[in-house]
């Protein structure tokens, strides 16, 4: 893969006197110069509200906003850009479905299937929605290798299941979930599938049509784009029947003192002034990713996963969770040591300029189920190197010397 590090100015900084080694990409990725420059250019040259003015700036701004929608639509293989809704991120995207689609399509006694590896954002919205309508939630279990098998999904399916909402990739185990097979199974039984793609869209080549899902949610900031913007993709047929999430300016066709009629999709789902610079920045991010090539990114990450798995296995007392095979993971590995808190290890690593995450990673039910106190998570991306992983491995050994 071509040298991408020069595109990320932040990678030149030092932390606590050492060169920064950024291994917290599952929380948020760094941003290449192209993305930051595009946002600056937007504000310096084009800033204006969208979909409302007829002056030049407003037209240009609208063109950039809608242009970004098209770039993102192509990036995930949507049928057309009308299926792309801009949101604040994965969390909002999932809440929108739970708040609006669930009450219109599920009834008392119906079942929503989740899995045990979900992030809180793909648990709580469904819990609240289910509570309101009297639906139930059941969980598909991961196996001993941290995988979701199709046999386990089959076991959990019944006539009552109306929706499966599941991560495409786990933010703790790294597991890649067989979404395509799950969708096939679900659709044969008339079950809808919502995919939390927060940890997959940055790493895997996504094609929502070949996956066959009904909803796909992801965040810009984990895939080189700015914070505060994300996407909810849904099939056009579903969106046409869906109630808007918020009401206000920009999303209407006609309003009287008594009532209102909605504009076409996707505009009816974007009430108020949208995050135009965010969308434009995400457009630049997916262009950057496409130019590098998602297959190249994937191969690079598999290489790093193999290397790190080997290196970690040598460390005495380590417990690595998630699939043993590098190609069954995205770019992350979590581990723990009995009797040493993950925060202590992360603190020592920080003194060496190494950024990792420690704790529950917003997946407390999974940690509790595995009976693990908390984990250290190392998550890498296209700009990380084997040399950095060597420094990390030495850092972990140093932390153990200090802490044990
Ligand atoms: N779903 C998964 C699988 C995630 O990993 C995250 C964020 C979200 C949903 C929520 O995304 P947001 O952009 O709306 O916040 N995960 C993490 C993480 O693992 N560390 O920090 C944020």
């Amino acid at each position: 893969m071509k040298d991408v590090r020069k595109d990320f100015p932040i990678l030149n900084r030092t932390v606590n006197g050492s060169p920064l080694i950024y291994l917290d990409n599952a929380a948020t990725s760094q941003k290449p110069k192209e993305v930051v420059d595009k946002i600056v250019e937007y504000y310096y040259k084009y800033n204006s509200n969208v979909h409302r003015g007829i002056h030049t700036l407003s037209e240009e701004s609208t063109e950039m906003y809608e242009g970004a929608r098209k770039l993102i639509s192509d990036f995930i293989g949507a049928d057309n850009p009308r299926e792309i809704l801009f949101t604040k991120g994965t969390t909002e995207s999932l809440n929108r479905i739970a708040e609006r689609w669930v009450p219109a399509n599920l009834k008392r006694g119906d079942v929503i299937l989740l899995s045990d590896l979900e992030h809180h954002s793909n648990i709580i919205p469904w819990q609240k929605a289910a509570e309101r309508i009297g639906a139930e939630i059941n969980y598909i279990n991961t196996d001993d290798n941290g995988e979701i098998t199709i046999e386990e999904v089959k076991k959990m399916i019944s006539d009552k299941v109306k929706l499966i909402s599941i991560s495409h990739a786990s933010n703790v185990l790294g597991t890649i979930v067989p979404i395509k097979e799950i969708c096939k199974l679900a659709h044969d039984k008339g079950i809808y599938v919502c995919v939390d793609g927060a940890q997959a869209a940055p790493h895997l080549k996504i094609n929502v049509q070949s996956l066959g899902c009904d909803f796909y949610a992801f965040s810009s900031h984990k895939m080189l784009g700015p914070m505060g913007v994300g996407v909810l993709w849904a099939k056009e047929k579903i969106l046409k029947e869906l109630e808007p999430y918020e009401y206000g300016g920009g999303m209407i066709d006609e309003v009287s003192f008594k009532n209102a009629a909605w504009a076409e999709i996707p505009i009816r789902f974007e009430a108020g002034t949208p995050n135009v610079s965010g969308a434009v920045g995400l457009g630049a991010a997916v262009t950057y990713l496409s130019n590098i090539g998602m297959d190249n990114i994937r191969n690079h990450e598999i290489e790093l996963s193999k290397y790190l798995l080997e290196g970690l296995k040598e460390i005495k007392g380590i417990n690595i969770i998630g699939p043993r095979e590098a190609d069954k993971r995205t770019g992350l590995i979590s581990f723990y040591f009995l009797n040493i808190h993950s925060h202590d290890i992360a603190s020592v690593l920080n003194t060496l300029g190494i950024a990792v995450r420690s704790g529950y990673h917003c997946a407390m039910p999974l940690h509790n189920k595995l009976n693990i106190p908390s984990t250290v998570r190392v998550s890498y991306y296209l700009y990380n190197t084997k040399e950095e992983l060597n420094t990390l491995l030495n850092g972990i050994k140093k932390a153990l010397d200090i802490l044990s």
Side-chain angles (χ1 to χ4, degrees), residues 24 26-28 88-92 94 119 121-122 167 169-171 196 198-199 219 221-222 357 361-362 377:
D24 192 19
T28 199
K88 287 208 299 283
T90 308
T91 302
E92 185 188 316
L94 295 170
H119 184 279
S121 291
N122 196 31
S167 282
S170 160
N171 72 322
D196 172 350
Q199 297 293 346
S219 300
H221 69 96
K222 294 186 198 288
R357 190 166 168 195
H361 323 297
C362 298
R377 182 183 68 187

Side-chain angles (χ1 to χ4, degrees), residues 130-324:
E131 203 176 284
R132 276 196 292 275
I133 61 167
E136 239 183 80
I137 295 187
N138 289 333
Y139 292 87
I140 303 161
N141 287 314
T142 43
D143 68 9
D144 292 345
N145 200 34
E147 291 182 77
I148 300 274
T149 63
I150 206 72
E151 289 68 36
E152 194 59 31
V153 181
K154 266 186 202 157
K155 244 197 258 170
M156 298 304 294
I157 284 183
S158 71
D159 290 346
K160 299 224 152 142
V161 176
K162 294 289 159 9
L163 172 72
I164 300 175
S165 187
I166 194 159
S167 282
H168 196 171
S170 160
N171 72 322
V172 177
L173 303 169
T175 312
I176 298 169
V177 174
I179 296 297
K180 197 169 177 165
E181 290 77 4
I182 292 174
C183 289
K184 195 167 174 324
L185 191 68
H187 287 166
D188 284 348
K189 313 248 180 221
I191 300 166
Y192 287 81
V193 181
C194 168
V195 182
D196 172 350
Q199 297 293 346
H203 305 282
L204 308 175
K205 179 139 191 52
I206 304 300
N207 185 305
V208 286
Q209 293 191 76
S210 79
L211 284 174
C213 52
D214 300 287
F215 303 97
Y216 199 96
F218 58 100
S219 300
S220 152
H221 69 96
K222 294 186 198 288
M223 50 196 293
L224 311 184
M227 291 186 171
V229 66
V231 170
L232 170 58
W233 169 86
K235 285 182 185 156
E236 184 162 354
K237 186 172 165 306
I238 294 177
L239 290 178
K240 280 191 163 154
E241 290 165 7
L242 191 65
E243 177 72 12
Y245 182 62
E246 286 180 320
Y247 308 98
M251 50 79 72
I252 52 87
D253 183 23
E254 259 184 42
V255 187
S256 71
F257 284 122
K258 230 172 165 181
N259 52 28
W262 314 138
E264 284 303 307
I265 64 164
I267 304 305
R268 82 170 65 145
F269 297 104
E270 294 173 5
T273 300
N275 182 353
V276 182
S277 66
V280 167
L282 175 56
V286 300
T287 303
Y288 182 91
L289 287 170
S290 301
N291 287 339
I292 301 287
M294 293 309 286
D295 290 343
N296 292 328
I297 293 172
R298 176 85 187 116
N299 289 336
H300 177 69
E301 288 176 359
I302 292 175
E303 274 289 300
L304 293 185
S305 291
K306 274 188 194 152
Y307 191 75
L308 187 56
L309 279 170
E310 284 307 311
L312 288 173
K313 272 186 218 155
E314 301 298 315
I315 298 175
K316 220 172 129 221
I318 197 166
N319 297 285
I320 301 170
I321 59 172
R324 282 176 274 277

